[in-house]
Amino acid sequence: MTREFLIEVLSKYVQEPAKKLKRAERGKPYLLSKEVSFSVSHTVGWSSVCVGHKEVQVGIDIELRRRETIRSWRALRQRFFSPREALHVHSRLEFLEMWVCKEALVKATGQGIARGWSQFELDRREGKLQVDCGEGQWSIGVFETADLIGAWACDRETVRDVQIRNWEP
């Protein structure tokens, strides 16, 4: 379902996107024509696509707000977040927000979790998420629905489009 949704969204920007889809060495999908950049994410019953301008790095992640597999969020917080980040995560929802932001950022860089999440920090300054990763300025946006929490990351000001679809009947 996610691939069909991705092709549907990309077809707004690119002719015949299915013929141009490829995967980078670490698995990040891209278009041979590089007409737009994009990122995909999925969770139980849901898919999302984030589209950016040409030559812009974008990433997206979504998670279910009530996801039962995140019962051990305290242990995961210590494992994947920097000590300073972990100090500011006091609830499962705060954990999920930080998680989707970090996941969106590593997807945007194309590095994935292999990069080591503790090598960069997210911090709230002046009510806005800031990134300290030594790789230039990044914008991060958080969005929520009744069922989901998600984030997008972009190495420029903002993304072009974010689409979310529920696949459950």
Side-chain angles (χ1 to χ4, degrees), residues 111-144:
Q111 302 284 322
I113 293 177
R115 174 189 173 131
W117 282 11
S118 60
Q119 293 180 15
F120 64 91
E121 276 192 344
L122 296 176
D123 188 17
R124 287 202 181 276
R125 295 180 212 145
E126 300 168 13
K128 184 178 176 186
L129 275 170
Q130 302 289 318
V131 182
D132 181 10
C133 66
E135 294 186 15
Q137 187 65 33
W138 287 85
S139 295
I140 297 177
V142 176
F143 55 91
E144 296 184 44

Side-chain angles (χ1 to χ4, degrees), residues 23-154:
R23 287 201 176 267
E25 183 180 320
R26 291 202 165 122
K28 183 176 180 176
Y30 69 95
L31 288 170
L32 273 176
S33 60
K34 299 190 190 237
E35 296 165 72
V36 294
S37 60
F38 65 92
S39 179
V40 296
S41 182
H42 54 87
T43 190
V44 181
W46 292 86
S47 297
S48 62
V49 177
C50 176
V51 179
H53 296 276
K54 182 178 180 178
E55 305 299 324
V56 172
Q57 296 182 77
V58 296
I60 192 166
D61 191 48
I62 57 173
E63 292 290 343
L64 291 174
R65 292 172 64 91
R66 296 175 188 91
R67 188 169 177 176
E68 294 299 319
T69 58
I70 308 293
R71 291 176 200 247
S72 59
W73 65 268
R74 288 179 180 88
L76 291 170
R77 171 187 65 185
Q78 299 306 119
R79 181 174 174 196
F80 288 104
F81 297 169
S82 73
R84 189 167 73 167
E85 288 170 330
L87 283 174
H88 299 288
V89 175
H90 305 290
S91 70
R92 194 170 67 82
L93 193 55
E94 288 175 347
F95 169 82
L96 283 171
E97 181 181 90
M98 184 73 72
W99 182 275
V100 295
C101 289
K102 291 188 86 119
E103 182 74 22
L105 184 62
V106 296
K107 285 181 175 183
T109 65
Q111 302 284 322
I113 293 177
R115 174 189 173 131
W117 282 11
S118 60
Q119 293 180 15
F120 64 91
E121 276 192 344
L122 296 176
D123 188 17
R124 287 202 181 276
R125 295 180 212 145
E126 300 168 13
K128 184 178 176 186
L129 275 170
Q130 302 289 318
V131 182
D132 181 10
C133 66
E135 294 186 15
Q137 187 65 33
W138 287 85
S139 295
I140 297 177
V142 176
F143 55 91
E144 296 184 44
T145 71
D147 298 312
L148 299 172
I149 185 164
W152 56 261
C154 181

Side-chain angles (χ1 to χ4, degrees), residues 10-29:
L10 290 178
S11 66
K12 296 176 186 176
Y13 305 98
V14 179
Q15 290 186 9
E16 299 182 352
K19 293 181 180 179
K20 300 174 184 176
L21 279 175
K22 298 291 178 196
R23 287 201 176 267
E25 183 180 320
R26 291 202 165 122
K28 183 176 180 176

